Amino acid sequence: MGEFWPVRDVLAFLAGRWSVTRSVRDLASDDTGHFEGTTVFGPLEDGDGLLHQESGTFTWRGAARPAERTLRFLPGSSPGTADVRFADGRPFHGLDLTSGHHVAAHPCAADLYRGEFTVRNADHWRTVWRVRGPAKDLELTTDYAREV
């Protein structure tokens, strides 16, 4: 992959509003889907981290429906990193973009989620999640573009 853009402080970098496009591919059936929407990283009520709120439209097998998710990005164990949690507070993964690139893993029941995060520049970043296990065989590629 090309060069990475290092991020000194992941929470400061992510803060704001991003346009989101995501492709979803079921590798077992070869079905594909698409998500288009917005992600807003705003301050948490206690001011210690960011609330990630994503909303948009997910199209799967020709059917479009509203989709949304919420995550919490808390300060990580090292300066400039983040501890990503689900909306209910359960741990999801760590995030260290100081090199502009990070790989994370998250076991979910018998499935394993492996995410690769790449920062391209101050206004563009990408995640690629590969999900493998008895219940899922998916690849999700998401591109984020900062809205001005």
Side-chain angles (χ1 to χ4, degrees):
M1 187 162 267
E3 291 187 34
F4 306 125
W5 196 77
V7 171
R8 182 177 297 222
D9 181 341
V10 69
L11 296 177
F13 170 73
L14 293 175
R17 186 178 178 93
W18 300 82
S19 294
V20 179
T21 58
R22 178 177 301 123
S23 65
V24 180
R25 196 168 118 228
D26 185 322
L27 300 173
S29 68
D30 211 30
D31 285 336
T32 59
H34 184 76
F35 173 86
E36 278 196 47
T38 303
T39 296
V40 176
F41 288 89
L44 285 168
E45 286 183 15
D46 64 7
D48 195 25
L50 297 172
L51 185 65
H52 161 284
Q53 295 178 293
E54 180 179 274
S55 60
T57 302
F58 180 58
T59 303
W60 184 254
R61 295 182 179 155
R65 63 181 182 270
E68 60 184 36
R69 73 175 175 165
T70 301
L71 298 169
R72 300 167 61 85
F73 283 63
L74 306 175
S77 57
S78 323
T81 67
D83 176 23
V84 183
R85 299 192 168 254
F86 293 104
D88 63 7
R90 289 176 298 124
F92 188 11
H93 62 84
L95 185 58
D96 179 351
L97 295 175
T98 54
S99 71
H101 180 254
H102 181 78
V103 175
H106 173 76
C108 184
D111 297 325
L112 178 64
Y113 286 67
R114 182 185 178 279
E116 184 172 3
F117 299 75
T118 305
V119 181
R120 297 175 177 213
N121 58 45
D123 298 320
H124 298 90
W125 60 289
R126 168 181 274 190
T127 65
V128 178
W129 283 97
R130 180 71 171 87
V131 186
R132 289 186 174 158
K136 298 175 183 164
D137 192 7
L138 303 171
E139 185 174 81
L140 300 89
T141 302
T142 307
D143 287 301
Y144 297 83
R146 188 180 306 276
E147 293 186 359
V148 287

